[in-house]
Amino acid sequence: MGAGKAREIFFAYIKDKGLRNTKQREEILDAFLSAGKHITVDDLYNILKKTDQAIGYATVHRNLKLMCECGLADEIKVGSNKTRFEQKYGHEHHDHLICLKCGRFIEVHDDKIERLQEKLSEANDFVAQRHKLEIYGLCKKCR
Amino acid sequence: MGAGKAREIFFAYIKDKGLRNTKQREEILDAFLSAGKHITVDDLYNILKKTDQAIGYATVHRNLKLMCECGLADEIKVGSNKTRFEQKYGHEHHDHLICLKCGRFIEVHDDKIERLQEKLSEANDFVAQRHKLEIYGLCKKCR
DNA sequence: TTTGATGTTGATAATTAATATCAATACCAT
DNA sequence: ATGGTATTGATATTAATTATCAACATCAAA
Ligand SMILES: [Mn+2]
Ligand SMILES: [Mn+2]
Ligand SMILES: [Zn+2]
Ligand SMILES: [Zn+2]
């Protein structure tokens, strides 16, 4: 898997910024890279607690932010719920179908939609930088 | 304008639910209907304060929620900012281009995109109920 | 018109998530 | 090895939303 490369990017970024490597930082990075997608700070905190009783919530939060900073992670906010983080390295841009019943996230991509969004922006003299497309409904299992 | 019809819907809903008509409720309704779009509770509260010194924040909040309930208003959450409310009655579905510099909301609609979203959902055995498409970037004035 | 059951209001408290603070500690360049 | 400083973890703060509740207003019924 590409986890090795992701780690490299993280440690290179840390060094470059004059930051330091710590036991916690490495634990958090690894836990994040091997965790499922669309994870919350709480989720990751609880996973880490199992192997490091002393880990602090704020530390997990801070380091998830750091991973976003260096391009490894992406913050996604859906609905009014808490912020979720997903892996960015080695993952193409995608949008989400979100099940209102079970909360499942289905990752989707449609080039046509992406292109039409760009056209729509241009038609409005707007320079698009990023976008968010979320479709809420019921997944196969929940109908 | 259709504000008269919107008022009718509101009062009909209230009566139907065994709720009561109050001075505040009517003030809030009218202020909302004549206010600009994408307004926050704060915005509306401050507008109302000018003509009704005694109005309470919670009352404004509660009644905006009530307007959503009866289909007159829609709640939109963009980024991590506070919830905004927009008029729904007499307004077609639309998406938003949001300027990262001035905060302007540009309302847009593209039937092709809407149809492709539907197709995309079907292709994933997903029954779409609603969606959110927000494109962030820079508006004409802010470049 | 009076009345009373109950919905509403406005002030304030509670809740929740995100972030700031800070003293103790750990890292790492020299 | 060690000192300057980044990091940690506990806790406080902030900010937005929602809940609580006593005082009050509404409106259907008498
Ligand atoms: Mn995803
Ligand atoms: Mn709008
Ligand atoms: Zn589901
Ligand atoms: Zn702008």
Side-chain angles (χ1 to χ4, degrees), chain A residues 13-125:
Chain A
Y13 181 84
I14 281 180
K15 173 148 287 183
D16 183 60
K17 293 279 175 181
L19 306 180
R20 292 169 185 178
N21 203 350
T22 67
K23 164 177 155 286
Q24 291 91 335
R25 199 154 262 173
E26 197 158 346
E27 282 172 7
I28 294 165
L29 172 65
D30 289 337
F32 173 67
L33 292 177
S34 60
K37 294 190 159 195
H38 317 117
I39 204 169
T40 63
V41 179
D42 267 305
D43 292 338
L44 200 57
Y45 174 66
N46 287 321
I47 288 170
L48 283 157
K49 265 272 167 174
K50 291 176 193 161
T51 52
D52 181 352
Q53 188 57 38
I55 196 93
Y57 182 92
T59 302
V60 177
H61 175 267
R62 274 188 298 246
N63 281 285
L64 276 168
K65 287 289 197 181
L66 187 59
M67 288 185 234
C68 290
E69 238 181 85
C70 72
L72 283 190
D74 228 358
E75 228 177 288
I76 58 179
K77 295 173 200 263
V78 17
S80 54
N81 295 114
K82 31 183 120 168
T83 300
R84 288 171 181 279
F85 296 84
E86 65 178 1
Q87 290 182 46
K88 196 174 181 182
Y89 179 76
H91 295 257
E92 294 301 313
H93 163 76
H94 59 266
D95 300 307
H96 297 112
L97 310 184
I98 300 157
C99 180
L100 292 167
K101 200 162 177 184
C102 71
R104 185 154 77 106
F105 283 56
I106 300 169
E107 304 194 337
V108 295
H109 183 82
D110 186 324
D111 267 321
K112 277 200 201 113
I113 292 178
E114 301 283 328
R115 261 180 278 129
L116 286 169
Q117 285 179 24
E118 192 50 53
K119 269 196 181 173
L120 185 57
S121 299
E122 281 166 20
N124 285 275
D125 283 311

